Amino acid sequence: ADKAHTRNFSIIAHIDHGKSTLADRLIQLCGVVSERDFQDQMLDSLYLERERGITIKSQAITLPYTAADGEEYELNLIDTPGHVDFSYEVSRALASAEGVLLVVDASQGVEAQTLANLYMALEHDLEVVPVINKIDLISADVPEARRQISDELGLDGDEAVAVSAKTGENVPAVLEAVVRLLPAPTGDPAAPLQALIFDAQYDPYRGTVIFVRVMQGTLRQGQTIHFMHGGTDYRVEEVGVMQVKRIAKKELRAGQVGYVVAGVKTVADTNIGDTITDAERPAAEPLPGFREAKPVVFSSIYPVATDDYPDLADALEKLKLNDASLIYQKDSSQALGFGFRCGFLGLLHLEVVQERLEREFGLSLILTTPSVRYNIFLHDGTQLEIENPAYYPDPAGIDYCEEPFVRASILMPERYIGAVMPLCLDRRGENTNLNYPNPGRVELSVDLPLAEVIYDFYDKLKTVTQGYGSFDYEMIGYRRSDLVRLDILVNGEKVDALSMLVHSEKARPRALHAVNKLKDTIPRQQFKIAIQGAIGSKIIARSTVNAYRKDVTSKCYGGDVSRKRKLLEKQKAGKKRMKLVGNVPIPQKAFLAVLQSD
Ligand code: GDP
Ligand code: MG
């Protein structure tokens, strides 16, 4: 299609307002998938996303559309992930589009995320078309939704297209609005090539499939391309567009969205945000906005059963093929044996990896407390970067430490500020700043230690704002910090996997939390078990698991052998999932409990 007949757009919405359902309906309307093959929520290809209602990997789909005016259009729907961990991916997807559909649930109206999403779209200078969804609901209030779109978002509420993505009512009007209201892309197909990479996926047969938006020039089969940040060259094997399946084309011209296959082995060999140019006739400079995906959260992953280690290694290798931001290296623990130290983009990323390892690969895992990376300056002038408590140096040699800070932006209805402020201060927040972007809403800007954010800030924020608080952050660098290593001892023996690096102010609450959780989860033994939290040799928290006297089988009458045996077998099975520290068996759930905050 020529540029005038191309539209590139994304859909953004508060969670559950119907983004995925609307996407499905548009795909279906354009006849890209047959009714029979239609799988609900096509774009959320991972089951995890379906369950959590979030889209983790962005993807694009090209929809052929014949408009009311009889003209043929190529509509490229670019999907975006919906979580702060992936905000860079979102920004690259949005940079590939000219406009967005902003979905608002007719029964819920404008919500925090609606606003946060709108801001992001405006930051990328995108045209925004509001869509009011779920008009089939009895509780739908379309006039009120229009009013909120005008008053709270500053958009034209009368222009909003009111639809039911579920029944399909009026959804064709959305496609017309895309054609009529969103601008066509610009760019010169004859200029030196600049194509923005906004996603990459691993295909076992073709290697990495790279998703691009061609900004300038033309990308064609046989061309030698150059990754401007990566510095590598490849030969283009195939270009084309996605229509659920890949459809090969001769070329992709400025303004188009599609894929490139160029013998790139793993997803880690590409960088989202990088610019592809022509090796023979390169562009003068890459497209703006490139940022290297850098892990900020670290945790060690151990198999519960020691003999699962090779399977864990294998599973991580497979996940890595499709996830450039996952990094890992071998690690070992006295308590837990062999495992891997892994780096993640954020906590959600960590959870997604953990869930995939457990569900797709059938592994049972123990993760250590997530940590950030600290700078440690020693008296002798050396500087260390440490994210693993195991490598924390002798405190006597430490001059000072620094920890990473983020600038968080929290958007919420005004009524929640009284609950959010204390939360931020409790998390060692600094430089709070209030902004009133529109009536009734507050934007709180606050500098927070990343370590506090990854602990459980997001969950707590959701709780205190009843889901209305939206949260985004950017790294702002390192600041001085009073760091200590907290160790957990069980009967005097350090459980290395439970050690953590924490701010001295937080050491005692975290130690209390850990010893109490262990007390509740470590089964009683014939002897008393002392559980302690310590900084160096100083004990700062303690609890005790009392001795167990009774014989577990005494409850069963002497004659009932089978019942007795069953009980003993159950105990044995339970033991397999235990880790022995000294002479104390610690169950997997104890490790997990320490990880969880209250
Ligand atoms: P997303 O989180 O924005 O992707 O939202 P989904 O598309 O997953 O939709 C969230 C829920 O709303 C699902 O249970 C959908 O079936 C439902 N839903 C979506 N659109 C409509 C609609 O037009 N009417 C009704 N009644 N339900 C809808
Ligand atoms: Mg969805």
Side-chain angles (χ1 to χ4, degrees):
D2 58 26
K3 276 181 305 189
H5 290 84
T6 302
R7 297 290 183 274
N8 301 313
F9 70 105
S10 280
I11 306 178
I12 53 181
H14 186 84
I15 191 144
D16 281 343
H17 282 202
K19 169 177 135 167
S20 301
T21 312
L22 180 64
D24 294 346
R25 202 57 66 203
L26 297 179
I27 292 167
Q28 213 178 11
L29 264 179
C30 293
V32 169
V33 244
S34 70
E35 194 71 37
R36 198 170 55 85
D37 294 341
F38 195 79
Q39 185 197 0
D40 265 353
Q41 309 206 345
M42 297 279 339
L43 282 181
D44 293 355
S45 48
L46 279 168
Y47 62 84
L48 262 181
E49 302 171 25
R50 239 172 272 159
E51 272 182 15
R52 290 159 170 259
I54 49 168
T55 306
I56 291 157
K57 284 297 259 173
S58 54
Q59 242 195 344
I61 189 161
T62 298
L63 308 172
Y65 174 62
T66 310
D69 59 9
E71 303 276 321
E72 306 257 350
Y73 288 87
E74 181 175 296
L75 311 183
N76 295 307
L77 169 52
I78 302 163
D79 201 18
T80 57
H83 189 279
V84 285
D85 284 5
F86 302 96
S87 61
Y88 182 63
E89 279 83 345
V90 176
S91 83
R92 294 308 86 198
L94 293 181
S96 303
E98 273 78 35
V100 294
L101 300 174
L102 179 67
V103 179
V104 175
D105 185 321
S107 67
Q108 305 293 318
V110 166
E111 295 195 63
Q113 212 73 53
T114 319
L115 200 67
N117 280 316
L118 172 69
Y119 287 153
M120 210 162 9
L122 295 179
E123 244 169 63
H124 287 89
D125 289 324
L126 301 182
E127 188 68 36
V128 179
V129 173
V131 173
I132 298 169
N133 187 35
K134 308 199 188 181
I135 58 171
D136 60 294
L137 290 176
I138 298 167
S139 52
D141 186 346
V142 178
E144 172 59 15
R146 286 193 197 283
R147 189 196 65 75
Q148 290 182 9
I149 288 169
S150 297
D151 296 354
E152 295 181 27
L153 301 182
L155 300 169
D156 185 355
D158 295 327
E159 195 181 66
V161 189
V163 305
S164 166
K166 189 176 175 185
T167 67
E169 186 184 348
N170 208 30
V171 175
V174 174
L175 292 171
E176 279 302 307
V178 166
V179 166
R180 221 165 18 85
L181 301 174
L182 299 186
T186 56
D188 176 5
L193 176 67
Q194 282 179 313
L196 175 67
I197 300 179
F198 65 85
D199 196 11
Q201 277 174 9
Y202 179 73
D203 178 296
Y205 302 104
R206 304 301 308 268
T208 303
V209 179
I210 302 164
F211 294 91
V212 294
R213 157 67 195 271
V214 183
M215 296 294 182
Q216 297 289 346
T218 302
L219 188 61
R220 50 174 76 87
Q221 200 193 2
Q223 196 175 27
T224 302
I225 51 171
H226 176 69
F227 290 171
M228 297 186 83
H229 290 282
T232 44
D233 287 6
Y234 293 93
R235 206 167 154 276
V236 176
E237 293 167 13
E238 185 180 311
V239 298
V241 299
M242 293 298 293
Q243 294 195 328
V244 184
K245 290 192 293 285
R246 292 194 291 273
I247 310 284
K249 300 271 179 192
K250 239 176 49 215
E251 57 184 30
L252 291 174
R253 296 156 66 88
Q256 283 190 293
V257 170
Y259 71 88
V260 195
V261 175
V264 180
K265 287 227 171 52
T266 78
V267 168
D269 298 324
T270 58
N271 290 303
I272 289 180
D274 201 349
T275 302
I276 298 178
T277 193
D278 186 330
E280 262 123 62
R281 195 165 69 104
E285 49 189 43
L287 296 161
F290 177 72
R291 209 173 78 194
E292 210 157 332
K294 248 181 126 177
V296 292
V297 175
F298 302 84
S299 167
S300 297
I301 300 185
Y302 296 94
V304 172
T306 319
D307 21 331
D308 279 350
Y309 174 76
D311 289 346
L312 174 60
D314 194 46
L316 280 170
E317 198 178 313
K318 290 209 172 93
L319 285 188
K320 172 78 188 169
L321 285 175
N322 211 0
D323 186 350
S325 39
L326 169 67
I327 61 155
Y328 62 92
Q329 64 190 65
K330 275 188 196 158
D331 196 8
S332 69
S333 146
Q334 266 164 16
L336 302 179
F338 287 107
F340 291 93
R341 187 74 183 168
C342 303
F344 307 91
L345 292 179
L347 269 197
L348 179 84
H349 186 208
L350 178 154
E351 277 171 35
V352 167
V353 169
Q354 180 189 1
E355 254 183 78
R356 292 190 66 180
L357 288 171
E358 293 189 332
R359 292 176 41 178
E360 286 170 33
F361 298 92
L363 294 163
S364 189
L365 303 170
I366 294 174
L367 276 78
T368 61
T369 308
S371 172
V372 300
R373 184 174 270 158
Y374 297 94
N375 287 334
I376 298 182
F377 298 84
L378 301 181
H379 288 304
D380 68 7
T382 24
Q383 183 192 337
L384 306 171
E385 280 188 4
I386 283 183
E387 37 80 6
N388 191 339
Y391 300 128
Y392 185 72
D394 179 358
I398 297 177
D399 185 7
Y400 66 96
C401 305
E402 288 179 344
E403 66 174 319
F405 267 68
V406 301
R407 178 149 304 147
S409 155
I410 301 163
L411 276 160
M412 69 202 122
E414 216 171 344
R415 61 182 179 278
Y416 296 113
I417 189 72
V420 170
M421 219 37 148
L423 173 66
C424 290
L425 296 180
D426 176 61
R427 295 307 154 89
R428 300 189 282 128
E430 302 171 0
N431 295 336
T432 52
N433 236 311
L434 289 175
N435 244 312
Y436 296 83
N438 37 32
R441 292 193 180 255
V442 189
E443 182 181 8
L444 170 65
S445 152
V446 53
D447 298 350
L448 290 164
L450 179 64
E452 298 289 337
V453 172
I454 66 164
Y455 186 48
D456 67 344
F457 185 80
Y458 195 49
D459 286 345
K460 281 276 174 351
L461 179 72
K462 280 263 135 92
T463 310
V464 301
T465 63
Q466 296 169 302
Y468 280 88
S470 80
F471 176 66
D472 196 3
Y473 66 80
E474 53 173 356
M475 303 288 291
I476 52 169
Y478 279 76
R479 291 187 186 169
R480 269 210 193 212
S481 166
D482 187 6
L483 191 68
V484 295
R485 186 177 77 190
L486 170 63
D487 295 322
I488 304 298
L489 313 174
V490 171
N491 267 359
E493 251 190 82
K494 191 169 95 188
V495 188
D496 58 357
L498 291 178
S499 293
M500 52 191 125
L501 300 173
V502 292
H503 189 267
S504 63
E505 251 174 47
K506 298 286 172 180
R508 211 177 118 75
R510 295 292 289 276
L512 278 173
H513 173 78
V515 299
N516 287 328
K517 288 290 180 182
L518 289 176
K519 175 177 157 251
D520 294 343
T521 44
I522 293 179
R524 290 181 174 203
Q525 301 297 317
Q526 312 281 5
F527 46 88
K528 203 158 107 179
I529 305 168
I531 304 167
Q532 296 164 311
I535 299 173
S537 57
K538 197 170 119 216
I539 305 297
I540 57 167
R542 69 181 81 227
S543 67
T544 309
V545 178
N546 284 321
Y548 191 68
R549 282 168 205 293
K550 270 183 287 177
D551 171 9
V552 267
T553 55
S554 66
K555 282 203 293 264
C556 311
Y557 307 119
D560 193 347
V561 179
S562 76
R563 221 181 128 190
K564 210 169 187 171
R565 195 189 304 129
K566 248 191 213 149
L567 202 62
L568 287 171
E569 266 164 20
K570 222 165 116 191
Q571 274 192 331
K572 224 162 93 192
K575 277 214 181 89
K576 273 203 197 138
R577 297 174 70 87
M578 303 244 199
K579 296 289 180 181
L580 221 50
V581 171
N583 52 355
V584 181
I586 304 182
Q588 179 198 26
K589 71 168 196 267
F591 286 95
L592 298 179
V594 174
L595 278 184
Q596 277 154 12
S597 61
D598 292 308

